[in-house]
Amino acid sequence: MGLAQRGSGRRTARPLRKTSPARPLPTLSGSPTPASTSGISDLDSGGHTDRLLQVIMDPEGLQLLLPSPTLAALANSWLQEDCPGLNFAALVTGSAPAQAALWAKSPGVLAGRPFFDAIFTQLSCQVSWFLPEGSKLVPVVKVAEVRGPAHHLLLGERVALNTLARCSGIASVAATAVEVARSTGWNGHVAGTRKTTPGFRLVEKYGLLVGGAAGHRYDLGGLIMVKDNHVVAAGSVDKAVRRARQAADFALKVEVECSSLKEALQAAEAGADLVLLDNFKPEELHPTAAALKAKFPSVAVEASGGVTLGNLPQFCGTHIDVISLGMLTQAAPALDFSLKLFAEGDTPVPYARRS
């Protein structure tokens, strides 16, 4: 669902389709609405495919992307990492039925409900959500309640909170990046990168989508990215791209990292679908992209390297189709959530009760 979509094996690529302007992030009053899903190309209106895409790319529909067996396997591995042996704290709590309230204590975008659910499903607990995926959080707010055996609630607590906090943090930064880019009038793709945490990529890529950004390629098999080291190993840009083009056949797109207009033109001539202008300053980026597009109008241009939320507007331009930011996954701060047990019949509060 990101940039690494399957394409043709032709020497020149179709340009990336422009996106519609983003909807503003909702505020949490009454029934919250999902956050923006900008960064996803629109199809022709009125068709079944268009309606289906809208459902899938809505934050509530994104859970359809996550296979249940994969969620279960991830949840099980996370729980085993946290408790590979004896759980002595279970003797403190016992196994009596209990309930806990999930509180959001910092602002941002709610993301990661499917992972939170999967963790507690492994522990025979039930989660009741009060806010939909993609909601804008205004603290302090009760997000959900979890019910199950006391020792199971506490066994899943930290793992579930860590996952939700990390995923929501990435969605929050992604949503901000999309909003910043759209404020300039630019309608290209704001995207993440492959700079993800080992073993946690699915959560982080999913968080990007909830925030309205594109995930880019999920792994090495999603798109052939020819980088500077590939060029050195192959001997030249032309040789590297032609080998990639042969390997890609009709099923994959080929993107080439370039550090100059000369390399970009060579890559496009050799058959690249996308050209990545890496570590260009904005004043160099735009004329280079314009010159490339003038000769190869169907080749898509991605800008990356040194892009932050602060300077993002400077990279937005007519000839730029994609702007990728590694900081969306590498530098996103986690949101603050807590899970607090409460007695049946009591009013849940976002802090521990002590008599």
Side-chain angles (χ1 to χ4, degrees):
M1 302 306 292
L3 303 177
Q5 300 168 356
R6 295 189 174 188
S8 68
R10 296 181 296 177
R11 292 169 63 83
T12 56
R14 298 184 299 273
L16 290 179
R17 299 189 64 181
K18 298 299 183 182
T19 58
S20 57
R23 291 169 289 169
L25 287 173
T27 55
L28 191 61
S29 58
S31 299
T33 55
S36 164
T37 56
S38 56
I40 305 301
S41 298
D42 294 328
L43 301 182
D44 294 334
S45 60
H48 171 72
T49 304
D50 181 51
R51 292 193 298 273
L52 178 61
L53 183 63
Q54 290 175 358
V55 170
I56 293 175
M57 298 316 297
D58 181 270
E60 280 287 88
L62 286 173
Q63 62 182 336
L64 298 176
L65 297 173
L66 305 171
S68 297
T70 301
L71 286 173
L74 280 173
N76 187 58
S77 68
W78 294 332
L79 289 166
Q80 287 201 3
E81 177 188 53
D82 200 41
C83 187
L86 300 173
N87 179 20
F88 292 103
L91 299 179
V92 178
T93 61
S95 60
Q99 51 281 321
L102 173 66
W103 298 93
K105 300 192 291 186
S106 57
V109 174
L110 175 63
R113 281 182 31 167
F115 303 102
F116 192 94
D117 286 342
I119 290 165
F120 280 111
T121 295
Q122 291 292 308
L123 299 171
S124 301
C125 297
Q126 296 76 45
V127 182
S128 300
W129 292 94
F130 303 127
L131 301 178
E133 191 84 315
S135 294
K136 185 176 182 182
L137 300 170
V138 180
V140 171
V141 62
K142 186 168 69 168
V143 178
E145 287 186 0
V146 189
R147 296 177 182 272
H151 67 305
H152 281 179
L153 286 179
L154 296 181
L155 178 59
E157 175 190 12
R158 179 42 55 194
V159 176
L161 289 177
N162 286 350
T163 306
L164 191 68
R166 179 69 178 149
C167 191
S168 295
I170 290 171
S172 302
V173 174
T176 299
V178 171
E179 187 175 17
V180 168
R182 296 293 175 259
S183 69
T184 69
W186 182 73
N187 287 323
H189 295 263
V190 174
T193 68
R194 225 172 86 249
K195 295 177 180 177
T196 55
T197 307
F200 210 60
R201 180 173 295 179
L202 185 62
V203 178
E204 295 177 350
K205 290 285 191 178
Y206 174 84
L208 290 172
L209 296 180
V210 175
H216 215 296
R217 59 174 176 166
Y218 183 79
D219 54 32
L220 292 174
L223 172 146
I224 300 181
M225 174 80 80
V226 178
K227 300 179 73 67
D228 54 355
N229 285 329
H230 295 97
V231 173
V232 171
S236 69
V237 171
D238 181 75
K239 287 182 180 179
V241 177
R242 293 186 185 280
R243 290 177 184 176
R245 188 76 273 163
Q246 289 177 342
D249 200 9
F250 69 90
L252 293 174
K253 289 185 178 180
V254 174
E255 182 168 15
V256 183
E257 177 186 280
C258 300
S259 58
S260 68
L261 175 59
K262 180 181 178 181
E263 287 186 352
L265 292 172
Q266 289 175 344
E269 180 65 36
D273 298 302
L274 301 93
V275 167
L276 170 61
L277 298 179
D278 191 38
N279 290 312
F280 278 64
K281 295 179 180 179
E283 59 269 23
E284 301 168 338
L285 170 70
H286 298 296
T288 300
L292 177 62
K293 290 273 193 176
K295 192 168 184 180
F296 297 95
S298 63
V299 171
V301 175
E302 175 181 349
S304 189
V307 186
T308 66
L309 295 180
N311 64 17
L312 174 57
Q314 300 175 43
F315 289 84
C316 299
T318 305
H319 304 292
I320 307 301
D321 300 287
V322 184
I323 301 175
S324 56
L325 302 87
M327 56 82 57
L328 296 183
T329 49
Q330 285 193 317
L335 297 196
D336 186 11
F337 291 92
S338 65
L339 193 67
K340 298 299 181 183
L341 268 66
F342 64 96
E344 191 69 48
D346 284 355
T347 302
V349 292
Y351 51 83
R353 265 201 185 89
R354 298 184 185 277
S355 56

